[in-house]
Amino acid sequence: MIKTKILALLVVAGFLGGCENMTTGQKGALTGAALGTGIAAVAGGSFGAVVGAGLIGGAAGYITGSAIGDNR
């Protein structure tokens, strides 16, 4: 039940956030956080693990997205 709520919240946030005027780093952070949270939720992690995976995924996505944006 919690997994479904978290996933639904991520989908809604993605639609409401819009990515049109975001930098490459911000897009990477959003994608990384969504993937980290989603994977941890599907794997059955505790709430702390899900949040931690989202934070780590967001940080990794931001770093990667910023590096890609700097190369353009």
Side-chain angles (χ1 to χ4, degrees):
M1 186 69 164
I2 290 176
K3 293 176 191 176
T4 306
K5 288 181 183 180
I6 291 172
L7 205 51
L9 181 63
L10 288 173
V11 170
V12 170
F15 283 124
L16 292 177
C19 297
E20 188 65 32
N21 59 354
M22 294 174 73
T23 66
T24 308
Q26 291 170 336
K27 289 178 187 177
L30 180 64
T31 304
L35 286 173
T37 303
I39 291 170
V42 169
S46 66
F47 180 75
V50 171
V51 171
L55 291 173
I56 292 169
Y62 179 77
I63 291 168
T64 304
S66 294
I68 292 171
D70 290 342
N71 287 335
R72 288 186 181 179

